[in-house]
Amino acid sequence: MSAPEHLVFITGRMAKARLEKVAATLPPERYAWSIADAGVKVAALMTEEIIRRRVTIPDGASRIILPGRCRANPEALAAHFGLPVERGPDEIVDLPAYLGLAGRTVDLSRHDLRIFSEIVDASKMTPEQILAKGLDLARRGADVIDLGGLPDTDFPHLEACVRLLKGAGLKVSVDSFSLDELTRGARAGADYLLSLNEQTLDLAFETDAVPVLVPVRPDDLASLDRAIERMEKAGRPYMADPILEPIHFGFVESITRYHETRRRWPGIEMMMGTGNLTELTEADSLGVTALLVGMCSELAIRNVLIVQVSNHTRRTVEEHDAARRVMFAARADSALPKGYGRALLALHDKRPYVQTPDEVAVQAAEVKDPNYRIAVAEDGIHVFNRDIHAIGTDAMAFFPDLQRTGTVGSDGAHAFYLGGELTKAETAWRLGKRYVQDEALAWGAAADAAVEDTTAFKKAGHTKHSGSAAAEIAARDATPPEAGAVAPETTGPGETGAGDAVSETPPEGGGRIVCGKFVPDAPRAATGKA
């Protein structure tokens, strides 16, 4: 049996106790561990220079793990220590899952579902508008741009649009009830034609475009079988779409048709148009999409046609893209689609609270400065600094206490900042979402996440101190960055560091945290939110 891997977790003093508690749960046959306390109070303030100068890595270490919010460059530290260095999870409670102790390694880079994204009103748009729209859909995850024709609406620029999209390197399909438009689109170079039935199937033999076959009527599965048989005999490529119907208009019966078609034709390519559910059901589309893509995964349906007309489906491309990756990974693992990230969780989080109320209370008792911290636990919103620890569930109800104990009444910028953060915290608590001060709430595939440089500190915010608190903060800022800092140390399981008492010095590390934002020491005047 091989020796356990020796992990070294680098952290700050405030997080050390919680990290020890979680690390103690790691299976000893797989992991030995040490905690390297850099001697700073807040782990987010650790810089590469501080870590290089103040951290000693014990003999026998296998790899080094930084806190997720530490802005040091792992590659630079790896070169310094001669060991692999990686950025771990943002929250300590997620460490076991990060290490793969959930029983699987999550890889969401793969999928086998092709997304056809329809531009439903293409005939009313200019070629330039269609190209811009197509490029945007492709950026969001679409694999094929579908040009939708409208009944009784001429599409004279169809050929130009097909050629323009193809010239940009995009795959193109044409979706129309008009045989003339389908023919013109195919001749212009379209890759796919939607949709042909047994009565219009001759067109499939006049072009190289791959046809999508549908029944003459949704309930006429026999007509689809006959069209499939003809294509099979000819040995030509095609897809079959039994047509998904809306709820109360044949939805359940249409699902059975997909199952029956797969049973009759085990190896054929199939398509499902999901818009009749996502567009025609006024429910959050992410869950609907996850369910339909799960059906596609079970039935080996490797193509979906999606549309975005209603405002509530504005993220349908991203939602289908996220769902296809999760379902592929779960199927590859022969597992339920659980534990594969948070992309399909928009409103609620599986594990919303990273600290218990008691843990927040311990953290609050350690704070020795006037800067407000905000946390969310199961019992509500916690607001605390050295003078106050208030708990509630209504963001606006905190104002009297904050006005009495702080600068809220005299500092409009500070009040504005706290009001925004507390409102965000209330939203998180009511929905059961994770809240992190100064970070946007995560909405999964329902909204784009902010892209940030994980090796650089955040810029200070726009709100600045004014009034009576300014002098106190200026005086505190005059303290040298590491004056009075507790000596760094490395401990392992069952060991207690000599410096476990809480340091009362300001956060060290070339700057300070002002209301959650790191503000560098220079220039001193550029202080941010407090």
Side-chain angles (χ1 to χ4, degrees):
M1 183 175 177
S2 60
E5 183 180 11
H6 187 162
L7 307 177
V8 178
F9 304 109
I10 299 180
T11 191
R13 194 156 299 280
M14 288 188 69
K16 182 182 176 185
R18 283 193 295 141
L19 179 55
E20 286 177 336
K21 183 177 179 181
V22 173
T25 68
L26 301 179
E29 68 276 8
R30 290 185 58 180
Y31 299 110
W33 54 270
S34 301
I35 294 178
D37 180 353
V40 301
K41 190 174 182 181
V42 181
L45 289 178
M46 295 188 302
T47 64
E48 289 171 33
E49 176 59 27
I50 283 179
I51 293 172
R52 284 195 300 264
R53 181 161 45 86
R54 306 188 69 188
V55 169
T56 300
I57 302 301
D59 293 338
S62 306
R63 57 174 162 149
I64 301 167
I65 299 180
L66 304 174
R69 296 191 181 93
C70 175
R71 283 341 198 202
N73 187 327
E75 294 181 0
L77 291 175
H80 173 77
F81 289 115
L83 288 173
V85 178
E86 57 200 66
R87 183 173 284 105
D90 287 350
E91 304 296 346
I92 293 173
V93 295
D94 295 328
L95 186 58
Y98 171 82
L99 293 173
L101 297 176
R104 64 176 70 96
T105 300
V106 176
D107 177 9
L108 299 180
S109 65
R110 300 178 299 160
H111 65 80
D112 62 352
L113 186 69
R114 185 186 291 118
I115 295 176
F116 288 66
S117 187
E118 182 177 0
I119 303 176
V120 295
D121 52 354
S123 58
K124 296 181 178 180
M125 299 169 65
T126 67
E128 292 72 25
Q129 289 172 329
I130 287 174
L131 176 60
K133 181 70 171 178
L135 290 171
D136 179 60
L137 291 171
R139 176 190 61 81
R140 293 160 58 185
D143 302 295
V144 181
I145 307 305
D146 184 65
L147 299 177
L150 296 174
D152 303 319
T153 302
D154 291 335
F155 199 164
H157 51 300
L158 171 60
E159 290 90 342
C161 293
V162 172
R163 295 188 184 103
L164 201 57
L165 291 170
K166 292 288 292 181
L170 301 174
K171 294 287 186 180
V172 182
S173 62
V174 176
D175 189 353
S176 177
F177 291 112
S178 166
L179 274 179
D180 175 64
E181 287 182 348
L182 291 174
T183 302
R184 290 166 50 210
R187 290 174 178 171
D191 301 281
Y192 305 92
L193 297 179
L194 285 70
S195 301
L196 301 179
N197 58 43
E198 66 172 342
Q199 297 174 356
T200 59
L201 193 55
D202 286 347
L203 178 57
F205 297 90
E206 301 172 7
T207 174
D208 292 330
V210 176
V212 177
L213 311 181
V214 297
V216 174
R217 299 186 316 276
D219 61 350
D220 187 3
L221 197 57
S223 67
L224 179 59
D225 284 334
R226 290 190 291 270
I228 292 173
E229 288 172 352
R230 186 176 174 189
M231 295 301 292
E232 285 287 316
K233 289 179 180 178
R236 297 178 66 92
Y238 67 94
M239 301 178 201
D241 183 356
I243 305 297
L244 188 69
E245 296 280 79
I247 293 173
H248 296 151
F249 290 86
F251 167 61
V252 173
E253 185 63 28
S254 67
I255 291 295
T256 66
R257 289 196 293 270
Y258 280 93
H259 182 270
E260 180 61 17
T261 299
R262 175 55 74 208
R263 187 190 68 80
R264 296 182 189 182
W265 306 96
I268 69 171
E269 288 291 330
M270 293 180 64
M271 171 181 278
M272 177 184 286
T274 60
N276 275 348
L277 260 289
T278 58
E279 290 284 330
L280 302 181
T281 306
E282 288 192 356
D284 291 329
S285 58
L286 183 54
V288 177
T289 297
L291 179 63
L292 292 177
V293 174
M295 291 181 181
C296 289
S297 182
E298 280 203 6
L299 294 173
I301 297 172
R302 302 198 300 175
N303 303 273
V304 288
L305 173 65
I306 68 174
V307 294
Q308 190 275 296
V309 177
S310 304
N311 284 327
H312 78 281
T313 63
R314 68 184 67 194
R315 296 281 296 185
T316 191
V317 179
E318 292 87 346
E319 291 169 2
H320 280 79
D321 181 51
R324 65 180 172 177
R325 297 174 187 275
V326 169
M327 297 304 168
F328 182 93
R331 189 180 72 236
D333 291 337
S334 299
L336 297 170
K338 291 169 63 69
Y340 289 92
R342 301 161 65 188
L344 301 183
L345 293 171
L347 290 181
H348 316 293
D349 273 320
K350 184 178 179 180
R351 194 172 184 180
Y353 310 117
V354 300
Q355 291 177 275
T356 66
D358 289 344
E359 288 172 337
V360 177
V362 170
Q363 180 183 355
E366 295 177 350
V367 173
K368 307 301 179 183
D369 60 65
N371 295 327
Y372 288 108
R373 279 77 164 176
I374 303 172
V376 173
E378 191 170 1
D379 61 341
I381 307 161
H382 293 245
V383 183
F384 53 93
N385 65 4
R386 69 185 179 189
D387 302 313
I388 184 176
H389 180 186
I391 306 170
T393 58
D394 181 348
M396 297 299 104
F398 287 101
F399 183 77
D401 285 337
L402 298 181
Q403 185 180 35
R404 184 174 60 256
T405 61
T407 61
V408 173
S410 60
D411 191 333
H414 194 196
F416 180 86
Y417 163 75
L418 289 174
E421 281 298 314
L422 288 169
T423 301
K424 185 175 68 178
E426 180 182 341
T427 299
W429 181 79
R430 293 190 181 281
L431 289 176
K433 296 184 65 64
R434 284 198 176 180
Y435 167 82
V436 179
Q437 189 171 357
D438 291 304
E439 300 287 342
L441 297 180
W443 300 102
D448 285 332
V451 178
E452 59 179 323
D453 181 359
T454 58
T455 65
F457 288 111
K458 291 185 177 182
K459 294 180 180 179
H462 297 293
T463 61
K464 294 184 179 181
H465 258 294
S466 58
S468 61
E472 179 181 1
I473 291 177
R476 191 172 70 249
D477 286 348
T479 304
E482 296 185 24
V486 177
E489 56 188 11
T490 302
T491 60
E495 300 177 9
T496 301
D500 280 348
V502 177
S503 168
E504 296 189 8
T505 59
E508 307 86 8
R512 61 191 177 88
I513 283 187
V514 181
C515 281
K517 298 289 188 184
F518 175 78
V519 183
D521 283 332
R524 289 288 184 184
T527 56
K529 291 183 287 194

